[in-house]
Amino acid sequence: MTVCEYRAGLEGIPATQSSISFVDGQRGLLEYRGISVEELAEKSTFLETSYLLIWGELPKKEELELFEYEICHHRRLKYRIRDMMKCFPEGGHPMDALQACAAALGLFYSRRALDDPAYIRAAVVRLLAKIPTMVAAFQLMRKGNDPIQPRDDLDYSANFLYMLTETEPDPFAAHVFDVCLTLHAEHTINASTFSALVTASTLTDPYAVVASAVGTLAGPLHGGANEEVITMLEDEIGTIENVRPYVEHCIEKKAKIMGFGHRVYKVKDPRATILQQLAEQLFEKYGEDQFYDIAVELERVVQEKLGHKGIYANVDFYSGLVYRKLGIPTDLFTPVFAISRTAGWLAHWKEQLGENRIFRPTQIYTGTHGNPYIPMEKR
Ligand code: SDX
């Protein structure tokens, strides 16, 4: 066996083999099952893309209709999950609530038959169907309201916005949201997907797999950055004049500017380009966002100062501006990312089960050996 050198963050080290998605970080390309994300954003829907990611091929008409039907009919939450959620503190972060709810699903569906395609399909359907309902329910419950039931006449994205805002969304808003879900659905072996893979490799249940991935996505270096971008634009920068001094201050202090930089992309993230276009379309239709100009100026200055290091806008930079215009509260941006990425996590779970071997890397020990046990009174 060849022993590789240690690389912090496993940079550049393949952790698995996969045919699900592909990123070319130098050219700014992203493909799901060989199809460009731009084409899927334009022509597909989130559920069709999820099917593609998980089962490897675009569904035929009747396959898609069945998948949509099944998801539509599994959106409701068991009353015990809702009762459990009533005990959550309303000040708690929605990602923590989502992680607890995803894990709790395992209590209700404890049969584990990982070699049964029907079990795999049921778990995929339940998770894709119920996670949006959990996010919306937490939002209403923390405001002291009862969650509202999903509506069978609304598609996946329109129904989520309806459950969240208690108002049927404009079809254009629902379409934009659906494109956002497609864009976030999968991205090779990022931190949360790696987490999902490690958990999956122990042959635990899929609810534990998704719960561990949700916990990993929450951090500000990963999915949590979309929330931090809005805080930065609003509270830390605030005006166009402050952009340049803010960037210079961050560079001097070696602080990370949220929504920029990527382990793989050394050019602008292709998803950021599409999200920026979506933001502009939304502003044209529903009115401008005062922070958009600040965002554009920030991107310009970061590119000027850090472009030589390959630091450009990533997926989390413009998504928050889109979500805000759709009426989604800032601390739900990362749960929305999780709704979408559940498709990618499940695709990797299924792929991992196909050729499973438990993850058990090695380490380079940096401690000492043969140390004496020092009695308490002598320490
Ligand atoms: C996501 O992996 C995926 O695919 C993730 C994702 C997905 O779809 O799953 O694309 C989603 O997580 C997007 C990333 C969201 N995070 C942020 O926006 C947080 C800010 N960005 C970073 O902290 C950072 O760029 C990372 C975490 C995204 C990448 O970290 P790396 O690869 O470990 O890079 P690094 O922190 O070691 O930085 C390398 C250099 C350093 O400079 P030097 O010490 O070499 O001089 O680049 C600089 C860093 O200081 N740098 C930044 C920067 N990001 C990197 N400097 C200022 N601001 C930044 N944002």
Side-chain angles (χ1 to χ4, degrees), residues 339-371:
I339 290 173
S340 162
R341 187 53 61 84
T342 298
W345 295 329
L346 290 170
H348 283 273
W349 168 62
K350 188 166 166 291
E351 188 175 66
Q352 179 67 29
L353 293 179
E355 214 164 313
N356 188 55
R357 193 166 183 214
I358 190 168
F359 276 88
R360 204 325 181 173
T362 186
Q363 63 166 15
I364 293 170
Y365 177 64
T366 59
T368 53
H369 294 281
N371 298 330

Side-chain angles (χ1 to χ4, degrees), residues 149-370:
Q149 292 295 353
R151 261 180 50 189
D152 291 354
D153 61 319
L154 295 178
D155 68 22
Y156 192 83
S157 290
N159 176 63
F160 172 70
L161 292 175
Y162 162 73
M163 289 191 299
L164 191 70
T165 60
E166 302 179 87
T167 313
E168 189 176 330
D170 179 60
F172 180 69
H175 164 72
V176 167
F177 183 73
D178 199 72
V179 176
C180 291
L181 293 185
T182 301
L183 293 176
H184 286 81
E186 158 63 9
H187 209 244
T188 73
I189 305 302
N190 55 83
S192 56
T193 301
F194 186 43
S195 190
L197 275 191
V198 173
T199 309
S201 80
T202 70
L203 300 183
T204 185
D205 68 73
Y207 310 101
V209 169
V210 169
S212 81
V214 169
T216 309
L217 185 71
L221 294 186
H222 191 14
N226 55 12
E227 181 179 337
E228 306 258 337
V229 167
I230 294 295
T231 313
M232 168 181 73
L233 292 174
E234 283 183 1
D235 303 344
E236 293 167 30
I237 302 181
T239 63
I240 294 220
E241 295 69 44
N242 283 342
V243 167
R244 186 169 289 274
Y246 177 81
V247 172
E248 286 168 354
H249 178 77
C250 288
I251 293 172
E252 193 194 319
K253 297 279 172 212
K254 294 194 179 303
K256 298 283 162 58
I257 303 165
M258 290 291 131
F260 290 92
H262 199 276
R263 177 66 63 79
V264 185
Y265 291 119
K266 298 305 159 203
V267 294
K268 185 169 177 172
D269 185 328
R271 301 166 296 175
T273 305
I274 306 174
L275 285 161
Q276 184 174 9
Q277 289 160 2
L278 290 176
E280 286 174 358
Q281 289 169 17
L282 280 175
F283 302 150
E284 207 169 291
K285 194 161 163 70
Y286 304 123
E288 289 185 2
D289 183 305
Q290 53 170 328
F291 291 99
Y292 181 62
D293 291 344
I294 299 176
V296 171
E297 176 64 3
L298 180 61
E299 187 184 0
R300 198 183 65 75
V301 177
V302 170
Q303 204 163 310
E304 176 196 312
K305 299 270 181 192
L306 295 170
H308 66 281
K309 281 186 170 184
I311 294 168
Y312 290 87
N314 63 45
V315 68
D316 286 325
F317 189 59
Y318 286 108
S319 60
L321 289 168
V322 172
Y323 296 151
R324 223 158 76 125
K325 206 67 196 168
L326 295 174
I328 299 172
T330 309
D331 64 357
L332 291 189
F333 296 172
T334 318
V336 164
F337 193 157
I339 290 173
S340 162
R341 187 53 61 84
T342 298
W345 295 329
L346 290 170
H348 283 273
W349 168 62
K350 188 166 166 291
E351 188 175 66
Q352 179 67 29
L353 293 179
E355 214 164 313
N356 188 55
R357 193 166 183 214
I358 190 168
F359 276 88
R360 204 325 181 173
T362 186
Q363 63 166 15
I364 293 170
Y365 177 64
T366 59
T368 53
H369 294 281

